[in-house]
């Protein structure tokens, strides 16, 4: 998760997931933008407000997103600027209770008492979308039925 600032872009509807945009909120725009990236490769340090990029270090040869790169991209589509670092994103927005989550909210995991080590976007029910790890792709995961994600949950934030 590379530390940098992303440029905010004007809000733009997502390509394939426009059905989500009924009663449009910034969170729905962000979720639709993330869903349009399903299957894109994980790339350490990858992703910008404009989309997938070559990463850094072990991601230097792969075009894609790391977890915070995906969330900064998705929220940039809704006109909200986020840093490209999970720990900073954890402090960018309003903390919300898990039971109050809405589409597009950021879910944070891991890190013990330090900064969280993983971020995802909430979709609905127990489903989130995230860029999990090197060798994987942007995918949906049910975090409520995952023993790892349930025990590693650190909090939820609503950007913007």
């Amino acid at each position: 998760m590379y530390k940098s600032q992303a440029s905010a872009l004007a809000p733009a509807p997502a390509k394939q997931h426009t059905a989500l945009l009924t009663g449009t909120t910034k969170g729905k725009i962000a979720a639709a933008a993330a869903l349009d990236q399903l299957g894109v490769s994980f790339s350490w340090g990858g992703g910008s407000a404009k989309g997938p990029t070559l990463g850094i270090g072990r991601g230097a040869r792969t075009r894609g997103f790391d977890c915070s790169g995906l969330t900064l991209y998705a929220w940039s589509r809704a006109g909200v600027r986020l840093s490209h670092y999970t720990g900073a994103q954890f402090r960018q927005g309003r903390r919300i209770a898990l039971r109050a989550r809405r589409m597009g909210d950021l879910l944070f995991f891991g890190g013990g008492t330090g900064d969280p080590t993983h971020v995802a976007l909430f979709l609905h029910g127990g489903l989130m979308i995230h860029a999990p790890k090197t060798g994987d792709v942007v995918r949906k995961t049910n975090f409520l039925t995952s023993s790892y994600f349930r025990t590693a949950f650190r909090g939820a934030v609503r950007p913007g």
Side-chain angles (χ1 to χ4, degrees):
M1 291 157 262
Y2 181 66
K3 292 183 183 182
S4 71
Q5 291 292 328
S7 299
L9 298 177
K15 300 172 207 157
Q16 299 172 359
H17 293 88
T18 54
L20 288 176
L21 302 180
T22 305
T24 301
T25 64
K26 288 180 179 185
K28 286 182 177 182
I29 293 168
L35 284 164
D36 282 342
Q37 303 306 310
L38 280 168
V40 172
S41 295
F42 180 94
S43 179
W44 185 262
S48 76
K50 294 181 181 180
T53 66
L54 290 175
I56 60 171
R58 62 183 179 235
R61 295 183 181 183
T62 305
R63 181 170 296 283
F65 293 103
D66 66 7
C67 64
S68 60
L70 177 65
T71 55
L72 87 80
Y73 166 75
W75 274 93
S76 77
R77 306 314 296 159
V80 176
R81 176 187 229 160
L82 294 176
S83 298
H84 193 168
Y85 174 63
T86 300
Q89 289 182 6
F90 192 52
R91 295 181 285 281
Q92 291 179 296
R94 184 169 47 95
R95 294 277 174 97
I96 56 162
L98 185 58
R99 68 184 175 281
R101 65 195 182 275
R102 293 193 307 219
M103 188 174 288
D105 287 344
L106 300 179
L107 305 172
F108 293 89
F109 304 92
T113 58
D115 283 342
T117 55
H118 190 63
V119 61
L121 282 97
F122 174 71
L123 295 174
H124 58 83
L127 208 56
M128 67 182 189
I129 184 168
H130 63 137
K133 62 186 181 225
T134 299
D136 210 335
V137 297
V138 174
R139 67 176 56 247
K140 294 187 251 183
T141 299
N142 188 322
F143 69 98
L144 291 179
T145 61
S146 162
S147 59
Y148 170 76
F149 285 114
R150 272 185 322 190
T151 58
F153 181 73
R154 291 285 303 281
V157 168
R158 184 165 299 142

